[in-house]
Amino acid sequence: MTGLRLPSSLRHALPTIAATLSLTLALSALPHAGYALTEPEKNQPVVNDKADSPDAQPDPDASEDELLEEQKQGIPMPDGLINKKNDKTVVPDDKADAPEIPTEFIHDLSKLPEPVKKLRVALVEAAASGDIERLRPLMGTGEEQTQISIGDAPEDPIAALKSLSGDPDGREIMAILLDILSTSAAHIDKGTANDQYVWPYFAEKSLDALTPPEQVELYRIVTASDVSDMKEFGSYNFYRIGISPDGKWKFFVAGD
């Protein structure tokens, strides 16, 4: 059987027709291929590019719920204002920096400053007179009034002194004042606002370090039983007197 014979003109056109048909089919398939490449799969999560960006900032117009949702998606919260790693509070230790001022014990009372010597003599003369009222003008007034008790200042310091004495006229307390002023003095806190001369010097010295002559001086003021109690307490705690370098009577108190 003889095959179908095409005209020669048609045979020469067949390659051109085949090429045109292939190009047409290829162009018609391009939209579908592009869609397949760009369309995300239904089960894949959507990536938030803004959340992953280090420069991303919260939307100022967003609601609170939207901001919370953005935080969950990875927006970093701003750092605190305080760097806790470097937040170290340094408390200055004034006591550690302040040099210790040694106490000076003055056994030769003629070496006391002139204002201190003058007030000491006046106190001795007033106490020896037996008239406690002679102490009043030496006590000062207002903020400079002599402290005679621990706590609030009494309205009448002389009446308060009488109440401390074993007799109604205050002569026992004047005898104690005389005995204390007969001992050596201790110069404490020299050059500071608390600079003063203190009697008896036992008040600024360890009782266990007293020499035999110094112990005799102490027994002139208190009994052996009192000394034993003081050692148990840790220091001298009987009456003591303080005078400032400018000759003001600062205190006359008992206790620590």
Side-chain angles (χ1 to χ4, degrees):
M1 181 174 176
T2 303
L4 180 64
R5 190 177 183 83
L6 297 174
S8 60
S9 60
L10 183 59
R11 288 199 305 269
H12 289 293
L14 281 176
T16 302
I17 294 171
T20 302
L21 181 59
S22 298
L23 179 61
T24 303
L25 291 173
L27 291 173
S28 64
L30 282 175
H32 300 283
Y35 180 77
L37 291 172
T38 59
E39 181 183 15
E41 294 183 10
K42 293 183 180 181
N43 295 330
Q44 291 295 325
V46 178
V47 178
N48 188 340
D49 294 334
K50 293 182 178 181
D52 294 335
S53 173
D55 298 327
Q57 297 294 331
D59 185 357
D61 297 328
S63 65
E64 184 177 350
D65 293 337
E66 290 172 341
L67 290 174
L68 291 174
E69 184 62 29
E70 286 182 353
Q71 293 173 16
K72 292 179 182 178
Q73 292 177 3
I75 294 179
M77 293 298 292
D79 292 335
L81 296 177
I82 299 176
N83 187 346
K84 293 183 179 180
K85 292 183 179 180
N86 297 325
D87 183 23
K88 295 181 180 180
T89 303
V90 178
V91 179
D93 189 354
D94 294 336
K95 292 184 178 180
D97 296 337
E100 184 177 354
I101 302 175
T103 298
E104 178 186 3
F105 297 101
I106 302 175
H107 299 289
D108 184 356
L109 299 181
S110 66
K111 295 181 179 180
L112 292 170
E114 198 60 35
V116 178
K117 284 195 293 185
K118 184 176 179 180
L119 178 59
R120 177 184 172 276
V121 171
L123 288 171
V124 168
E125 291 177 349
S129 71
D131 182 4
I132 199 169
E133 283 293 336
R134 289 185 58 176
L135 293 175
R136 189 182 295 277
L138 305 176
M139 286 186 155
T141 58
E143 294 183 355
E144 295 185 348
Q145 179 177 303
T146 304
Q147 180 186 3
I148 60 171
S149 63
I150 305 299
D152 296 335
E155 293 183 4
D156 186 349
I158 295 301
L161 281 179
K162 287 182 177 181
S163 69
L164 297 173
S165 187
D167 66 292
D169 298 317
R171 290 176 182 141
E172 181 189 40
I173 204 75
M174 288 188 285
I176 292 173
L177 190 151
L178 276 176
D179 285 340
I180 289 175
L181 288 174
S182 68
T183 70
S184 301
H187 187 189
I188 66 171
D189 298 326
K190 184 177 181 179
T192 70
N194 196 43
D195 190 339
Q196 56 192 312
Y197 295 81
V198 177
W199 283 263
Y201 65 97
F202 318 126
E204 304 298 331
K205 197 170 186 178
S206 171
L207 298 181
D208 291 327
L210 297 180
T211 64
E214 291 173 339
Q215 291 179 28
V216 172
E217 282 189 286
L218 177 60
Y219 288 136
R220 291 178 56 192
I221 299 172
V222 295
T223 66
S225 177
D226 293 331
V227 173
S228 178
D229 291 340
M230 288 179 187
K231 289 182 178 180
E232 185 175 350
F233 176 76
S235 65
Y236 174 92
N237 59 6
F238 194 52
Y239 283 97
R240 58 190 186 278
I241 297 168
I243 300 177
S244 65
D246 58 354
K248 294 179 181 178
W249 189 9
K250 303 297 291 184
F251 60 80
F252 178 41
V253 296
D256 182 38

